[in-house]
Amino acid sequence: MTNNSPIRIALIGNPNTGKSTLFNRLTGLRQHITNYPGTTVLAHTGFSHIEDKQVQFIDLPGIYSLSASSPDEKVVFDLLLCDNKIDLILFILDSTNLRRSFFLIYQLAEFEIPCLLVLNQWDQAIRNCIKINLQLLKSRLPVPIVTTIARNGIGLEELRSAIATSLKSPSRFPLPQWPTIIEECRQTLLNAGANLSLNLKPPEATRIIFDSDSIYLKNFSPSLHSQLSQLQSQIQNRLRQNGFNLSIAEATIHYRKIDKLLENVIQSDGTIARSDSPLDSILLHKFWGPVIFFAIMFLVFQSLYAWSAPFTDAIESLIALAKDNVFLWLEKFPILQSLTTDGILTGVGSVLVFLPQILLLFLFISLLEESGYLARAAFIMDKALAWCGLNGKCFVPLLSGYACSIPAILSTRTLDSPSARLTTTLLIPFMSCSARLPVYTLFISAFIEPKYGPNIAALSLFFMHFVGPLVAFPFAWFLNRKLLRTPHQTFVLEFPHYQLPSLRNVTTRLWESARDFLQRAGSIILAISIILWALLYFPRPPELASKIRSEFLKTHANSYPSEQIHAQLSDPNSPLSEKLQHTITSAYLEQSYLGRLGKFLQPIFSYAGFDWKITIAILGSFPAREVLISTLGIIYNLGGDISEESADLHSALSSATWPSGPKAGYPIFSLPTVWAIMVFFALCLQCGATIAVVAQEINWRWAIGLFLFMSFLAWLGATLTYQILSKIPHFL
Amino acid sequence: MNPGAKPIQLSSLHPHIPARIHQLTDQNPISSRLAALGLLPGSIVSITHIAPLGDPIAIQIEKRQIALRRSEAQLLLVQPQLDD
């Protein structure tokens, strides 16, 4: 232990041991979540004081064993392997399952890091009639043992003083005694390591012997890797010839010792009676199980979709109020006025507006997880998702994506398989979020309903909600099975005991998720919002406004007497002056950098039947897709303050015709074009906030890659839709 | 007890019939994960629940419930312990 660096204590244990609850108890709200470098494995760290000394606690991912191919195990292994990084390990054991809990400890003993055993869920052991002779266990082990009930904070003081004692006089778990032949093999490996001038450590040697597909070998350079693999297969062949089944050899050796250690320690009733909860016979029932599951999912979805609306509306009205006030204050500085209202305040609003949904989703998920139901839900849904490389736990985040991608992506943190977490994060933006709804409503009610009636309109809206998943799930299958060839992850899921959710854990979770979103994604969303404001605002030549004004006067000179025109224009609220203002706004949009980009890119979008106005409107919707409505309003000289149900907008769109070219005089918004626009919106990632959150949860490479991929897919989908529908005479 | 029963794959065991683990398929990384959970030769397991879509299955080992996919359960050979 060095004096100048902080003391670092790692919490290690199996999943469902109450490890994170204990971590919350030890650190309170002073915690920080990051990804381990280069992984999607989440690192929770937090600070606390032990006898006036600053201590950093690290909550490592819950694992059952070191011998596997998942990044979770690698994170634990790599962290412990680094010299002097961890001063003390708190091993969290499940008191109802000591035998299995000890397996991981025996595996980790070779790191020779001082440790302290915490027998958590002590109350569950009592409830399950498991009698543990603690004195006997203590007499057999050289390391201190503390019992806790982390949920109620019982045993926490004893734990803190045990930590203080362990930091002063550290004790280590006994090293494993390997059978002679395995010990020889380990020596062979360690010597070979020395010859290759590798500082191979005992835990690494053990992993190389027992794991055939070990990802630890990938830590080494390719040449070392091949030499070590060669050595590995020689050793493994030798052991097989000596009768070892290598898949189970390590477990057999350790469990034999564990059984000896626990002999007479655990006085169980010795029965092998059914131990599943009576609740499971209903919640996992062939018929009632799915019924209850879908009822709960409906409740979650309804809360995101409907219950959050009053809160979201309140935030939006507050922002609108702030905008109105700032607008008046800054009347004299048009650039500053536009920057603060359309740039900064819009940006702040688009960050805050996600908070109600994030909090609601995390409330539900933490209640479901804490109560023990989430594992059962994953069990029910697993087969429906397994074919494309996902698992049952991915269902809740995916469904939440139908309300909003932001909370849904944040909730992928509940997925313990990193590859499932990556795939789910990439799939969520394809789910038809609620911001797509106004776009569909606009086009369906303006073009499909008048022609085909309300039934076909409703069916079209329903269909649009499946366009994303229809494309995305085969994409997930391709990504997992063909492109990344992610190894089939084992689906080993333990059913936790049912219990009442702990209020403290739920509130910690809500606080963490909100703070993290505001701190990390919030700033990026704000930056994106300001950049897009600038692209839409600049350059803004003042002469354009006067030019439009004189043209406007000319065109209206015939219909009104000139003094009436001037009288109306001097009143900013008169219809004529509003019309002029809308025409000027539209002209500025057309000549803005984004407008120019739209005209430049228009040839590409003409394959999908889009004119330059649609192209600009689509580009303008990249920060947030619902902006399409107001951009269309501006382009069609109706102003940006317009809703998707506006009759003016509907008639402006239906009467728009191609000014020239082969289609001159025909309506721009023909049915093939309308469907192409809707398909484009279904597949495109037009949401700055989602990009920011994907970058936060995975990294920028994936976020930008996903954005480009979805943009291309959207263009391809729109083009195919337009080209195919145009060939059908009915749609012309 | 029926120690001579022919080993079958855990995936084809009938629900609620206790069975003794006979063997785990060698040279399969999933086997070592299952072994780490205590699914070792000699342990008693039984199937307690089957998911509505037929897969995965929940098994009981000692006092805990663990869900496994059928493809994973195939790696375990068990001997049903029929009542005698």
Side-chain angles (χ1 to χ4, degrees):
Chain A
M1 231 182 299
T2 47
N3 288 327
N4 38 16
S5 63
I7 298 166
R8 286 160 59 97
I9 300 181
L11 279 78
I12 298 182
N14 293 164
N16 301 315
T17 48
K19 190 166 58 65
S20 299
T21 310
L22 195 69
F23 174 76
N24 287 343
R25 283 276 174 189
L26 285 167
T27 59
L29 291 177
R30 284 164 295 171
Q31 16 179 304
H32 187 66
I33 317 173
T34 47
N35 279 358
Y36 283 98
T39 67
T40 47
V41 180
L42 289 172
H44 291 247
T45 52
F47 286 96
S48 182
H49 281 94
I50 299 283
E51 287 192 347
D52 299 331
K53 264 184 253 166
Q54 172 97 327
V55 171
Q56 187 186 22
F57 285 97
I58 304 160
D59 187 16
L60 286 166
I63 57 172
Y64 290 113
S65 143
L66 280 181
S67 58
S69 44
S70 112
D72 272 355
E73 285 94 354
K74 192 171 184 302
V75 160
V76 175
F77 189 86
D78 288 347
L79 189 82
L80 297 182
L81 201 62
C82 296
D83 284 321
N84 303 325
K85 271 212 154 168
I86 301 295
D87 299 294
L88 179 70
I89 297 177
L90 297 191
F91 279 121
I92 321 299
L93 295 91
D94 174 1
S95 299
T96 62
N97 204 340
L98 281 187
R99 188 168 177 264
R100 201 189 56 210
S101 298
F102 266 111
F103 176 75
L104 185 64
I105 303 181
Y106 272 81
Q107 276 196 324
L108 291 170
E110 281 186 323
F111 287 100
E112 297 188 70
I113 296 171
C115 67
L116 169 60
L117 306 193
V118 183
L119 269 59
N120 194 28
Q121 301 176 337
W122 191 248
D123 53 334
Q124 290 278 6
I126 297 167
R127 206 169 305 150
N128 284 282
C129 304
I130 299 167
K131 291 196 193 85
I132 299 170
N133 187 340
L134 204 57
Q135 286 314 317
L136 188 61
L137 183 63
K138 280 181 178 169
S139 71
R140 286 180 186 171
L141 283 174
V143 289
I145 302 175
V146 181
T147 61
T148 55
I149 308 170
R151 280 164 51 78
N152 308 332
I154 295 172
L156 258 287
E157 277 319 300
E158 291 84 340
L159 176 59
R160 283 180 175 278
S161 61
I163 291 174
T165 318
S166 287
L167 288 174
K168 275 176 220 143
S169 51
S171 45
R172 290 171 177 79
F173 203 82
L175 282 175
Q177 302 287 312
W178 296 108
T180 325
I181 180 162
I182 290 178
E183 192 53 53
E184 279 171 27
C185 293
R186 290 178 73 248
Q187 283 310 322
T188 315
L189 259 176
L190 292 173
N191 294 338
N195 289 340
L196 294 167
S197 56
L198 265 179
N199 183 17
L200 212 57
K201 292 175 185 134
E204 289 177 294
T206 308
R207 297 269 53 87
I208 292 171
I209 291 175
F210 290 115
D211 302 346
S212 318
D213 64 336
S214 178
I215 50 173
Y216 308 122
L217 276 184
K218 294 188 185 126
N219 283 352
F220 301 107
S221 69
S223 67
L224 283 175
H225 181 278
S226 71
Q227 293 188 50
L228 284 172
S229 332
Q230 220 174 353
L231 202 56
Q232 180 188 41
S233 42
Q234 283 171 17
I235 287 173
Q236 292 188 335
N237 281 338
R238 183 177 165 203
L239 289 172
R240 283 207 182 89
Q241 280 158 13
N242 280 277
F244 282 93
N245 173 347
L246 280 174
S247 300
I248 62 168
E250 189 189 15
T252 313
I253 293 165
H254 286 326
Y255 272 108
R256 206 172 288 149
K257 293 234 197 59
I258 294 169
D259 284 336
K260 220 168 157 189
L261 173 77
L262 296 180
E263 200 177 15
N264 300 326
V265 168
I266 301 173
Q267 287 131 29
S268 144
D269 40 16
T271 59
I272 46 165
R274 283 180 67 169
S275 69
D276 54 331
S277 155
L279 266 177
D280 276 336
S281 52
I282 306 164
L283 295 179
L284 298 180
H285 187 269
K286 263 198 151 40
F287 176 74
W288 293 114
V291 169
I292 295 168
F293 170 76
F294 282 110
I296 293 175
M297 287 307 117
F298 180 76
L299 186 77
V300 172
F301 186 69
Q302 187 65 17
S303 79
L304 293 187
Y305 215 84
W307 300 358
S308 65
F311 301 101
T312 316
D313 292 347
I315 291 173
E316 275 171 353
S317 357
L318 273 176
I319 292 289
L321 194 71
K323 271 188 195 173
D324 288 347
N325 281 313
V326 172
F327 197 81
L328 291 178
W329 293 339
L330 295 174
E331 195 102 61
K332 292 208 179 101
F333 315 96
I335 291 189
L336 210 58
Q337 183 191 45
S338 179
L339 170 67
T340 33
T341 54
D342 295 340
I344 297 172
L345 280 172
T346 305
V348 170
S350 57
V351 174
L352 290 181
V353 91
F354 292 116
L355 266 189
Q357 286 184 327
I358 290 175
L359 291 175
L360 271 169
L361 180 60
F362 272 85
L363 175 69
F364 274 105
I365 287 186
S366 46
L367 288 179
L368 291 178
E369 191 173 34
E370 286 267 311
S371 65
Y373 182 72
L374 204 60
R376 274 81 175 179
F379 178 70
I380 291 173
M381 284 311 293
D382 183 63
K383 197 179 181 188
L385 294 167
W387 63 278
C388 57
L390 300 175
N391 65 52
K393 287 189 174 179
C394 308
F395 188 81
V396 177
L398 285 173
L399 178 81
S400 317
Y402 267 99
C404 178
S405 295
I406 310 305
I409 290 173
L410 293 179
S411 74
T412 58
R413 291 178 177 185
T414 50
L415 306 178
D416 31 26
S417 147
S419 76
R421 188 172 166 221
L422 174 69
T423 317
T424 310
T425 305
L426 300 180
L427 281 184
I428 285 169
F430 285 95
M431 305 298 124
S432 187
C433 72
S434 55
R436 284 174 172 110
L437 193 60
V439 178
Y440 299 154
T441 312
L442 168 69
F443 288 104
I444 288 173
S445 61
F447 297 100
I448 291 172
E449 201 176 341
K451 199 165 177 185
Y452 297 101
N455 289 335
I456 297 289
L459 203 65
S460 304
L461 186 62
F462 188 69
F463 170 74
M464 285 315 299
H465 282 81
F466 290 94
V467 172
L470 275 176
V471 173
F473 281 98
F475 154 63
W477 173 82
F478 179 76
L479 188 74
N480 272 323
R481 295 278 177 264
K482 300 285 161 198
L483 200 65
L484 297 178
R485 292 191 180 277
T486 36
H488 279 262
Q489 291 279 334
T490 34
F491 177 76
V492 176
L493 179 72
E494 191 179 1
F495 290 164
H497 303 286
Y498 283 111
Q499 58 185 6
L500 277 179
S502 121
L503 188 67
R504 180 186 275 255
N505 278 358
V506 173
T507 48
T508 310
R509 193 75 170 275
L510 292 182
W511 161 256
E512 259 178 13
S513 59
R515 190 193 53 180
D516 210 48
F517 171 72
L518 292 180
Q519 275 179 357
R520 296 210 279 157
S523 48
I524 301 169
I525 297 172
L526 191 63
I528 292 176
S529 173
I530 292 172
I531 291 170
L532 271 135
W533 165 81
L535 287 177
L536 277 166
Y537 190 85
F538 294 110
R540 181 166 282 253
E543 62 274 13
L544 185 65
S546 40
K547 195 176 140 223
I548 298 287
R549 196 185 159 91
S550 59
E551 273 173 16
F552 189 82
L553 289 175
K554 243 183 254 167
T555 48
H556 288 82
N558 300 329
S559 24
Y560 299 96
S562 79
E563 44 303 355
Q564 202 182 326
I565 293 183
H566 285 289
Q568 279 217 33
L569 288 187
S570 57
D571 170 15
N573 292 323
S574 72
L576 204 58
S577 129
E578 266 185 17
K579 200 171 166 193
L580 172 61
Q581 210 45 55
H582 291 159
T583 314
I584 293 174
T585 319
S586 168
Y588 272 130
L589 173 64
E590 193 185 334
Q591 62 74 52
S592 71
Y593 288 121
L594 200 85
R596 292 172 193 194
L597 185 67
K599 286 199 157 175
F600 175 72
L601 291 178
Q602 201 270 325
I604 302 173
F605 285 99
S606 66
Y607 293 108
F610 299 174
D611 71 340
W612 66 266
K613 291 182 176 179
I614 304 177
T615 308
I616 291 181
I618 281 179
L619 289 182
S621 323
F622 269 90
R625 42 178 75 87
E626 62 274 21
V627 171
L628 178 82
I629 315 284
S630 65
T631 317
L632 281 175
I634 292 172
I635 294 180
Y636 282 97
N637 297 346
L638 299 165
D641 196 8
I642 205 160
S643 93
E644 67 270 20
E645 274 130 24
S646 152
D648 287 347
L649 186 59
H650 288 191
S651 69
L653 294 183
S654 1
S655 55
T657 52
W658 291 94
S660 57
K663 289 184 280 186
Y666 283 100
I668 291 174
F669 290 90
S670 63
L671 280 179
T673 303
V674 165
W675 277 105
I677 296 173
M678 290 201 291
V679 167
F680 189 92
F681 272 80
L683 298 177
C684 199
L685 181 50
Q686 291 160 301
C687 180
T690 305
I691 299 170
V693 172
V694 171
Q696 172 196 316
E697 296 300 299
I698 311 174
N699 58 41
W700 276 106
R701 259 209 341 248
W702 276 104
I704 291 167
L706 181 68
F707 171 73
L708 294 176
F709 176 71
M710 286 184 74
S711 302
F712 171 72
L713 214 56
W715 173 82
L716 187 69
T719 302
L720 286 177
T721 308
Y722 177 76
Q723 296 296 342
I724 291 169
L725 292 185
S726 304
K727 300 287 177 293
I728 303 172
H730 168 80
F731 287 109
L732 289 176
Chain B
M1 290 301 210
N2 185 356
K6 209 170 158 260
I8 56 166
Q9 290 177 340
L10 175 60
S11 49
S12 40
L13 184 70
H14 286 289
H16 308 302
I17 305 279
R20 186 176 295 274
I21 297 178
H22 178 71
Q23 207 186 341
L24 279 89
T25 306
D26 191 10
Q27 305 211 18
N28 189 319
I30 297 173
S31 289
S32 70
R33 294 209 82 176
L34 298 177
L37 291 166
L39 292 161
L40 285 169
S43 317
I44 303 286
V45 292
S46 63
I47 294 178
T48 49
H49 296 280
I50 297 173
L53 296 172
D55 196 14
I57 57 173
I59 60 165
Q60 179 177 333
I61 165 99
E62 292 173 47
K63 294 216 166 225
R64 301 310 297 265
Q65 304 278 317
I66 295 171
L68 297 177
R69 287 190 183 145
R70 284 186 183 273
S71 56
E72 289 152 9
Q74 277 173 3
L75 301 173
L76 287 157
L77 290 181
V78 298
Q79 288 171 310
Q81 306 286 296
L82 300 169
D83 294 329
D84 46 4

